[in-house]
Amino acid sequence: AQKVTQAQTEISVVEKEDVTLDCVYETRDTTYYLFWYKQPPSGELVFLIRRNSFDEQNEISGRYSWNFQKSTSSFNFTITASQVVDSAVYFCALSEVVAGGTSYGKLTFGQGTILTVHP
Amino acid sequence: GAVVSQHPSRVICKSGTSVKIECRSLDFQATTMFWYRQFPKQSLMLMATSNEGSKATYEQGVEKDKFLINHASLTLSTLTVTSAHPEDSSFYICSALDWTDSYNEQFFGPGTRLTVL
């Protein structure tokens, strides 16, 4: 069975601080996908990143960066110089792989981390 | 990216009534859609996988007779909450898979907030 753990229930920071959201996962699959989503108060999920289990390169996108470490089954997310607009719930998710490894299916979500950025 | 819509966005109903929620892929065909449920301040939990032209696959603990799923076309899946009760009040989110070449992307709808009085 797949499992995603986000140990940090809530994080509060002051604007311009860096913040890292932790994500640890469990799976028996050798191939899988990992995701991060942002859920603002409106409720709509905003896709942030997808990472294939074979690709352990870290990724940076603007103020966002992701650290994928297969050895520790972690996929952490860092926001640099946080802003008030970053306030939201952030979900890490894990997906099974189907169709010979080229597609993914249903997602298992972590519990979510509520990030509050104060001005 | 592809767009998935949900209707209605918000619904309030009396206990005992049935509520239908629609999930549409607007600019692509989706043979597979997923239905998730999110209780306040909790995570998203998969309820069922909806496949066009076949019966939905429900996750353990989800009552298939209470949550009826119909995926009658490649662009529409519906979730009907039958005889809704206050404990069914939740945020329901659908997603649809869009195949691009040999790879698929999953796109989420904006969600439907159900309140049962």
Side-chain angles (χ1 to χ4, degrees), chain B residues 83-99:
Chain B
S83 187
H85 291 285
E87 57 266 29
D88 298 323
S89 297
S90 187
F91 192 52
Y92 292 86
I93 306 174
C94 73
S95 68
L97 294 184
D98 179 22
W99 280 91

Side-chain angles (χ1 to χ4, degrees), chain A residues 33 37 39 41-45 47 50 91 99 102-107 109-112, chain B residues 34 36 38 42-44 46 49 59 91 93 97 99 102-106 108-110 113:
Chain A
Y33 286 95
Y37 287 91
Q39 188 178 44
S42 65
E44 187 163 358
L45 286 177
F47 168 80
R50 174 188 60 247
F91 289 99
T102 59
S103 69
Y104 62 90
K106 56 187 180 181
L107 298 175
F109 285 85
Q111 301 92 318
Chain B
F34 299 105
Y36 295 86
Q38 184 180 29
Q42 293 190 26
S43 185
L44 284 80
L46 179 68
T49 302
E59 295 299 301
F91 192 52
I93 306 174
L97 294 184
W99 280 91
S102 60
Y103 185 79
N104 72 354
E105 293 279 352
Q106 182 166 173
F108 284 86
R113 197 166 299 280

